[in-house]
Amino acid sequence: MVVNEESSGTPLELFLKIGLDERTARNTIANNKVTNNLTSVINEAGVTEGCSRTIGNLLYTVATKYPANALIHRPTLLGYVVSSKVKTPAQLEAAFSFLSKTASESFELNEFEEACGVGIEVSVEVTERTVNEIFEQNKESILELRYRTNVGDLFGHVRKRLPWADPKIVKQLIDAKLFELLGERTAADNEKPSKQKKEKPSKVEDKKVADDNPVLPSEEDLNPFLIFPNPEENFKVHTEIFFSDKSVLRCCNTKEMLDKHLKATGGKVFTRFPPEPNGYLHIGHAKAMFVSFGLAKERDGCCYLRYDDTNPEAEKKEYIDHIEEIVQWMGWKPFKITYTSDYFQDLYDLAVELIRRGHAYVDHQTPEEIKEYREKKMNSPWRDRPIAESLKLFDEMRRGMIEEGKATLRMKQDMQSDNFNMYDLIAYRIKFTPHPHSGDKWCVYPSYDYAHCIVDSLENITHSLCTLEFETRRASYYWLLHALGIYQPYVWEYSRLNVTNTVMSKRKLNLLVTKKYVDGWDDPRLMTLAGLRRRGVTSTAINAFIRGIGITRSDGSLIRLDRLEYHIREEFNKTASRTMVVLHPLKVVITNLESGSIMELEAKKWPDAQNDDASAFYKVPFSNVVYIEHSDFRMKDSKDYYGLAPGKSVLLRYAFPIKCTEVFLANDNETIIEIQAEYDASKKTKPKGVLHWVAEPSPGVDPLKVEVRLFDKLFNSENPVEFDDWLADLNPQSKVVRSSAYAVPSLEKAAVGEKFQFERLGYFVVDKDSTPDKLVFNRTVTLRDSYGKGGK
C-alpha cells in the first residue's frame, strides 16, 4: 500500500503539527539528515501531538544546530524548551554554547540555568530604559543617518546589555523610539544612496601602487595588545550592574582612587597569571601566560605569578613547584611570586569590614539548602540577622569553635538579580585542613569569588585578564570592590584555547594518567606543557602559535593541531641539524666494494652548508654493509615508486648510486632478510630516488643502535569529547617504539634535549630516558606540513 505523504503519521504532518509553515516543512523533508534529526527531537520532546509555533521553531533549531558532542544532554534541554523555561533564540544559543563546552560530562542544573537565563524575566520598563540609554549614546549618529541607521547594531547593543530581554519587545521599542526621534519617513529617507563610480586607474599605475604599497599586516596583527587601554584610563565605566530594585551601579574608580593607584604603580601596567596549584598546566595555560605576561612585557610593566591557593584539599607542593618551573620555561619572568594565602589576614579583615557595612552575614544553611534557595531566588533565613551577631559568629568560625559545614559567610548581594552570580555568593567556609603554604594557621578559607577580585585590588592589578566563562562573574567582582570602597582593576575576557585530537579537561587528563592510558603527566602525546616540552616542542614555537591565534573575545572553535605543528616546523627547519637514522633496518651488502674497506664521507648538517665551513658537515662511514629502511624496498617496481627494487638503482644520500642485484628471502619466501647490490663509484648513474642509510662503522660491527619513539595524535577524531565512550577513540598508533633503529656514529654523544632532523623522517629530540648505553629519541613532528600548504 502506498501512503500519501500528508496522511497521518508522516513527517510532513508531524512537522506541521509543531507549527512549521508548509514551505519550511516541505524543504525539511527534502533533507534526510534534518528530517531524521527533527523527528527524533519531536519524539524526545514528547510533542508528537503538536505544540505551539514558538516551541516548534525552537525544536527546529535544536534539530539543526544542537552540538553533536553533547547528544546525551539533548533530552534535558528539550524538557526546558517544552516547559518554556528556555523560550527565546538567545537562551537556546546560550544553551548550545554551554552544552558544547560540557560535551558528555555531567553538569549542575543551576549552572546550566544561569548560563541560559532560565527564570529571568526582563520587564518592559527595564528594556525601555535600556533602549532609551542606547539611543542617547548614539543620538548624534542616528540624527545624521536617520532611517539609514543600522537597526541591527542598536538591537545588538541592547542584547549585549539585556541578553534575555524579549526580542519582539526590543524591536517594537526601537521602532517606536526611531519614530519619536525622527518622525515620518521623508522622500529622502527612501532614496538609495548614490554610488559614485570610481575611476579605474591605468594598469601601469596599478602596478606602481602595488609595488610602492605592499599589503602589510595590521597593527593588531603586529601587536595584539593594542586592544587594551592604558592604566590612566581606568576611570571609565566598563561594567554596569542592574539590580532588581531597578537601580544601576556603574562601576568605575573615583579620581582620588585612581590617583592613589597610579602613584603606587608609577603608572605602569600590572597584570597577574593566577593558576590554581591543583594539577599540571596545559597549552590553554600557555595562552593565559601569553596574554598576561605578554601585555606586561609589551608595556614595560609587571606581571605577578600568583598562586590561587584558596582550597587546601586540592593543592600540593608538587604542583606549585611545577608551575614555577613551567612559567620560566615558557620564557616568562614574574615580577614577583605571590600566593592568595599571603593575603589571608587582609582578606579576613576586609570580610569583617564587609559585615560591618551590612554586606555580609553568617549563614547556617547546608549546601543543598543554599542550592535550593538560590534556584528559587529565596533569601536565607539568616540573611537579616544583626550585624553584631554575624561578627561574633564569624570570629567563632575563625577560632575553630564551629564545626565544618555548619556555617559559611555569605555576601549580601541581590537574590532577585537577573545574574545567578549575584545570589549571595559564599565568601568563607570552614575547612579543618592544613594549607600547603600557610600551614594550620587558618581553619576558615576564602572562596575564589571573594578572594580573587580583592587580591587583584591589593596588588594594584591594572588589567585583570581571564577567559570568557568568567564574564558573568563581572557583576560580583565589581559589586564586592565597590562595597568595600577599594580600587577596581580593568577586567577583560578572551576566548579559551581548544586544540583538535586531544582533551583538555583536568578530569579527563587525570583519568588518562591514573589509568595508565599514557605514561604520566609529561607523556609526549598530551597537551600538557610538560608533555609538549618532553616531545621536543619549544616555548618559542608555542608562543608563536598562540600569537598567531590572537587574543580576541570570539569564542574559540577547535584550533587544528596542524597549526601548532606548522610553527614547530618553521622553527626546527632553521635550528635542528640534519642527520641520518634508519628506523626499520634492511641489510644491503655491496658486492663490488671490498669487505673491510671504510670510506669517510661528508654529510651536511644544513641544506645550505658552505664548503668552506667545516662546522656545517659531519663525518659518516661508508662500507660494504649498509642499512636502508625496509619500506624503501619493493619486490615489484612501478613508475610512481622511487625506492629500491630488483634491477633498479637509487642514490644513497651523500654517497653513491647502488643497484639491486639479488634478494635473499626467509624460509617463508616472503620476508626479505638481505639485499645484494653494486655501487657506482664513478657516480655516472643518475637515479631519481634518494635514500637515507647507515653503514657498519667497521667490519662486522653493527651501527649505533638507538630507540626511536614515534608519537602521533592521541585521538583519531578532532573532537573526541563528542563521543560518550571517548576513550574508545584513542589512537592505538599514537606511540610506536622502534627499539632497534640504527644511527650514524656522530649521534653517539647527543645530549638530552638536543634536537635533530632525521632526514626523510621528521624532527626528533633526545629523551630523558636515554642512558650511556642507549639513546632514546622522541619524534616531535613529521616533515609533512598540511597547514603551511593551505591550512592557514
Side-chain angles (χ1 to χ4, degrees), residues 319-489:
Y319 300 142
I320 291 171
D321 295 341
H322 159 76
I323 290 169
E324 183 176 348
E325 178 193 352
I326 284 293
V327 167
Q328 292 179 356
W329 176 72
M330 283 298 298
W332 305 117
K333 186 176 181 180
F335 157 67
K336 190 182 290 185
I337 297 175
T338 60
Y339 298 76
T340 297
S341 55
D342 293 338
Y343 302 94
F344 275 175
Q345 187 63 55
D346 302 278
L347 291 164
Y348 179 83
D349 292 343
L350 286 169
V352 171
E353 179 61 25
L354 198 66
I355 297 171
R356 286 189 179 129
R357 295 187 179 199
H359 296 310
Y361 61 96
V362 173
D363 187 23
H364 300 295
Q365 287 185 300
T366 64
E368 293 75 22
E369 288 171 335
I370 291 175
K371 181 176 182 293
E372 180 187 354
Y373 273 55
R374 294 182 81 209
E375 288 173 353
K376 296 177 178 178
K377 291 189 170 187
M378 292 169 54
N379 289 345
S380 163
W382 289 277
R383 193 175 199 264
D384 296 318
R385 75 189 324 159
I387 289 174
E389 192 175 317
S390 282
L391 286 170
K392 178 177 179 295
L393 288 167
F394 189 47
D395 180 61
E396 290 175 359
M397 287 170 61
R398 179 186 64 82
R399 290 191 285 146
M401 298 171 63
I402 300 178
E403 290 180 42
E404 192 168 323
K406 296 296 184 181
T408 58
L409 182 71
R410 293 180 65 183
M411 295 178 266
K412 190 184 288 189
Q413 296 169 296
D414 184 0
M415 289 297 295
Q416 304 306 311
S417 170
D418 291 342
N419 187 334
F420 190 79
N421 283 298
M422 290 292 287
Y423 293 176
D424 289 12
L425 298 177
I426 291 174
Y428 269 86
R429 65 270 200 232
I430 303 167
K431 286 182 183 291
F432 292 104
T433 303
H435 190 280
H437 188 63
S438 63
D440 58 3
K441 182 179 178 181
W442 296 90
C443 63
V444 289
Y445 293 100
S447 67
Y448 170 88
D449 291 294
Y450 174 78
H452 184 67
C453 57
I454 293 178
V455 179
D456 276 355
S457 181
L458 295 175
E459 291 188 337
N460 274 300
I461 300 303
T462 58
H463 299 74
S464 179
L465 309 172
C466 53
T467 47
L468 277 169
E469 66 265 32
F470 292 96
E471 187 171 19
T472 56
R473 298 191 183 190
R474 270 198 192 196
S476 61
Y477 183 104
Y478 283 113
W479 174 89
L480 181 54
L481 297 181
H482 176 80
L484 290 169
I486 57 179
Y487 162 75
Q488 301 173 17

Side-chain angles (χ1 to χ4, degrees), residues 137 365 392 398-399 502 541 564 597 639 659 692:
Q137 293 168 6
Q365 287 185 300
K392 178 177 179 295
R398 179 186 64 82
R399 290 191 285 146
T502 191
L564 172 60
S597 173
K639 288 183 179 180
K659 180 179 181 180
H692 63 282

Side-chain angles (χ1 to χ4, degrees), residues 124 127-128 131-132 135 147 151 154-155 158 165-181:
V124 176
T127 307
E128 186 173 15
V131 169
N132 289 340
F135 267 72
Y147 282 101
V151 175
L154 297 175
F155 197 96
V158 177
D166 188 323
K168 292 180 180 178
I169 294 175
V170 173
K171 181 65 166 62
Q172 291 168 2
L173 290 169
I174 288 176
D175 289 345
K177 190 68 179 175
L178 274 174
F179 184 85
E180 177 189 327
L181 189 62

